[in-house]
Every structure is written in C-alpha cells, then in structure tokens.
Amino acid sequence: MNQFLFIGGKGGVGKTTMATTAAIQRAMAGERTLVVSSDPAHSTSDLFAQSIGDEPTPIDGYDRLDAIEIDPDAAVENHLRETKRALTDQVSPAIVNAIEPQLKLAHDSAGAYEAALFDRVIDILQTAETYDRVVFDTAPTGGTLRLLALPDALELWIDRLLEKRTRSIDLFESAAIGDRTPRRTMSDDPIVQRLQERKDRFEFAARTLRTETSFYLVVTPDELSIRETQRASDRLAANELGVDGLIVNKLTPKPDESERGAGAAFLRSRRATERERLETIKSIGPPIVATVQSQREPPAGDQLEELAPTLTFE
Ligand SMILES: Nc1ncnc2c1ncn2[C@@H]1O[C@H](COP(=O)(O)OP(=O)(O)OP(=O)(O)O)[C@@H](O)[C@H]1O
Ligand SMILES: [Mg+2]
C-alpha cells in the first residue's frame, strides 16, 4: 500500500464512509494517519461527531488520527488572492485592478473550483511527511486529470515564451550596444519564474500520483454506479493511473432461511440480481478488496470500527 490512498466513486456510493473507515483501520494498525475530505457537506465531521477544520484536526478517541475538511469556497478565494498577489509583483496595480473583473469571472467557472481544490491537495501532498498514511475521500475527476497533463503543455509554453523573450532581448541589445542589462533580467524574469514554479508543482503532483498513490473506487451494485466505475477506471488508466481495487458497498443482506414473507422474497430476488452485477463488477479488472452490506443505520462511530477489518487493502 502506498503512502497516499484516494477513494473515488459516483455520488452517494459511500466514499466518505469508506475513506473514514480506511483511515480508522490504518490508525488502529499504528500508523500516523490523516483523512482529507473535500465534501462541502462536511460529512467527515458528522461521522466523528466533532468539528474539523481546514488544517489537521486530531480526532477524539484515536492517538494517531487527524482529519482535514477542505473548504472548497475558501480554496477558490485563496487561489484568487494568490493570483492577484503574484500579478502585483509583475505588473502595475492599475493593470491588476483593470483585469480584476476577468479574474473574478475566471474563478467563478467550474474548472476553477477543481483547480483550486487540486492546488490544496498538492499542498497536502507536499507537507504530508509527518504521516505514514493519507486517505483522500475523492479521486481526481476529469478536470483534475487534465491538469496532470499540464506539465508537458507548460513545458512547451515556457520554451516558446523563453524563445520570444530571448529574441526581443537580442533585438534590444543590438539597438543598445554595450548595455547588458536586458540579458541579466532575462534569467530572473518573474513571469518565466512563476510559470516554472507552476510547472514544477504539477510535475510533483503527477509524479506523486503515479508512484506513491493507490486508487480505490467504491461501487454499489446498480447499473449507474457500475458504468461510472468502468468509465472512471478507463479515465484513470488513460492518465497512467491504475485502479488498485474496488470496494463494493451497500450489498443486500441475506434473510434468514426460515423467513417466508414478502420482505424476504424481495431480498432474495435482489441478491440474485446483485450476484450477476458482482460478476460484471469483477470483469472491470481491479480486484475487489471489500464487500460491505447495507447496514440498518448509516454507519458512524463504533460501527466504522467494526467495518474497518473488512477492508483488505494489501
Ligand atoms: N454500507 C452502508 N450501509 C448503510 N448506509 C450506508 C452504507 N454506506 C454508506 N451509507 C450511507 O449512504 C449515504 C452516502 O454515503 P457517503 O456519504 O459515505 O457517500 P459519498 O460517496 O461520500 O457521498 P457524496 O458523493 O455525497 O460525498 C450516507 O447516508 C451513508 O451513511
Ligand atoms: Mg462524501
């Protein structure tokens, strides 16, 4: 198992429940563990019945378990502030003010939300050395995966930019013979530096996700979830990220043999359908690392500790 675990899957399949369960399991195995959620509904704090902040918060009742709930709106705000700060270093405040409406608009787009979230995830990846294990309760989505291809695109862009700037500085120099100033400003050009920084950051993320991360997808035995899992698995593979395992959640429990009522007949029929669907799930490829039944109550607290041993990540 790698240092970083990502638990993905369609909406409502049980990502938060399973990520939290996985984190409890690792902490109870003696590993210093961090669980990271980006769920705006703050369901991780609900599961632990305590408030959790945007920075590592120790979880009551565990010696080695911290949690973070990323606030996606705050992440977008920070991103906007940081972009403005970086711009202020490079151009006049008048220009920053003039383009502020465009900046705001860009940060209101759907892609910005994902980009800001991914930025925060990269921060956590970079500062996670105090943890043996970090469990993220979401896998990268389509937009985030596209960001992984960004280092290559940025490389081309930076090269072209450097070429253009070299050419313009050469022209400037042939006009002002003897004045070497432009050549000196070239190497610490703030725009090029900033682009280089971004590129290094995405490169780090792409490398970490490919070499130090395990991906698990939660799937429920219904057609929509199975199809989505197939798609997510293909999409991850296309980005050189393999899925390490599937967690099948919300399987119908077995009625007692002696039960003869309509309820028992319903459960038996559902279970027959689910057996077929399990075959389809197996054919997706990655191994099934856990099968979890639908519980009577939404699992929380002690129930998560009971579920913890059923997840087999190795
Ligand atoms: N095995 C289970 N038995 C019964 N209820 C479950 C089980 N797993 C999850 N649930 C319930 O299903 C609901 C969705 O679970 P959860 O919040 O973990 O899913 P999620 O994938 O994180 O959802 P979202 O996409 O909204 O973040 C919750 O009410 C949770 O308590
Ligand atoms: Mg969730």
Side-chain angles (χ1 to χ4, degrees):
M1 199 196 311
N2 283 306
Q3 186 190 4
F4 302 110
L5 305 187
F6 278 77
I7 313 276
K10 190 178 144 288
V13 291
K15 294 179 294 293
T16 303
T17 307
M18 293 307 149
T20 308
T21 305
I24 290 176
Q25 182 200 75
R26 300 329 300 163
M28 288 174 80
E31 297 172 358
R32 285 161 302 164
T33 306
L34 173 68
V35 56
V36 182
S37 159
S38 55
D39 188 345
H42 299 305
S43 14
T44 311
S45 39
D46 289 348
L47 289 182
F48 288 120
Q50 78 174 72
S51 71
I52 294 168
D54 193 59
E55 294 297 324
T57 309
I59 297 300
D60 300 337
Y62 296 92
D63 293 335
R64 300 178 191 84
L65 182 56
D66 291 351
I68 290 181
E69 270 182 349
I70 300 176
D71 180 346
D73 291 329
V76 174
E77 272 307 307
N78 281 341
H79 201 262
L80 178 61
R81 207 172 319 122
E82 169 60 18
T83 309
K84 265 180 16 198
R85 193 200 56 75
L87 271 177
T88 315
D89 292 346
Q90 290 154 24
V91 297
S92 77
I95 294 180
V96 177
N97 285 338
I99 62 168
E100 173 141 14
Q102 279 91 331
L103 274 181
K104 276 232 172 69
L105 207 63
H107 280 79
D108 282 339
S109 70
Y113 183 89
E114 272 184 327
L117 210 58
F118 190 48
D119 234 21
R120 185 75 182 92
V121 168
I122 299 176
D123 281 341
I124 296 171
L125 294 175
Q126 278 178 331
T127 55
E129 67 276 357
T130 55
Y131 294 101
D132 300 311
R133 205 72 63 190
V134 184
V135 185
F136 290 89
D137 134 12
T138 46
T141 56
T144 314
L145 289 175
R146 272 194 293 282
L147 289 175
L148 292 182
L150 208 59
D152 297 339
L154 273 177
E155 175 102 67
L156 279 175
W157 192 23
I158 291 175
D159 286 350
R160 280 232 302 277
L161 201 72
L162 279 171
E163 222 174 85
K164 281 221 168 92
R165 282 189 94 84
T166 313
R167 196 141 19 100
S168 69
I169 286 165
D170 280 348
L171 283 173
F172 185 84
E173 277 189 339
S174 46
I177 300 160
D179 182 4
R180 292 273 147 189
T181 323
R183 182 69 77 193
R184 250 180 279 132
T185 54
M186 169 81 196
S187 63
D188 46 28
D189 187 292
I191 295 172
V192 172
Q193 245 174 27
R194 172 124 177 110
L195 280 172
Q196 193 69 46
E197 257 169 45
R198 299 298 294 166
K199 183 174 155 264
D200 290 348
R201 215 173 138 75
F202 285 120
E203 238 161 34
F204 162 82
R207 198 170 51 243
T208 306
L209 292 183
R210 285 182 187 129
T211 61
E212 289 166 54
T213 306
S214 303
F215 290 93
Y216 295 92
L217 296 176
V218 184
V219 55
T220 51
D222 61 89
E223 277 171 5
L224 263 181
S225 168
I226 294 172
R227 229 177 301 143
E228 171 65 27
T229 306
Q230 180 75 64
R231 257 203 305 271
S233 173
D234 292 347
R235 223 165 28 217
L236 285 164
N239 286 275
E240 298 165 48
L241 305 169
V243 175
D244 295 86
L246 302 178
I247 299 169
V248 188
N249 189 25
K250 302 195 188 182
L251 285 166
T252 302
K254 193 178 177 180
D256 287 338
E257 293 297 342
S258 59
E259 282 188 66
R260 288 281 159 257
F266 172 79
L267 293 182
R268 286 192 190 101
S269 137
R270 267 209 68 100
R271 282 174 59 84
T273 313
E274 285 177 8
R275 267 194 296 277
E276 282 166 30
R277 296 211 174 126
L278 264 174
E279 289 308 311
T280 316
I281 292 173
K282 276 183 200 149
S283 73
I284 296 176
I288 294 178
V289 295
T291 50
V292 181
Q293 291 198 344
S294 276
Q295 314 287 309
R296 231 168 314 169
E297 301 285 333
D302 291 348
Q303 276 148 306
L304 298 179
E305 272 187 32
E306 280 166 35
L307 281 180
T310 62
L311 302 181
T312 49
F313 288 117
E314 300 303 339

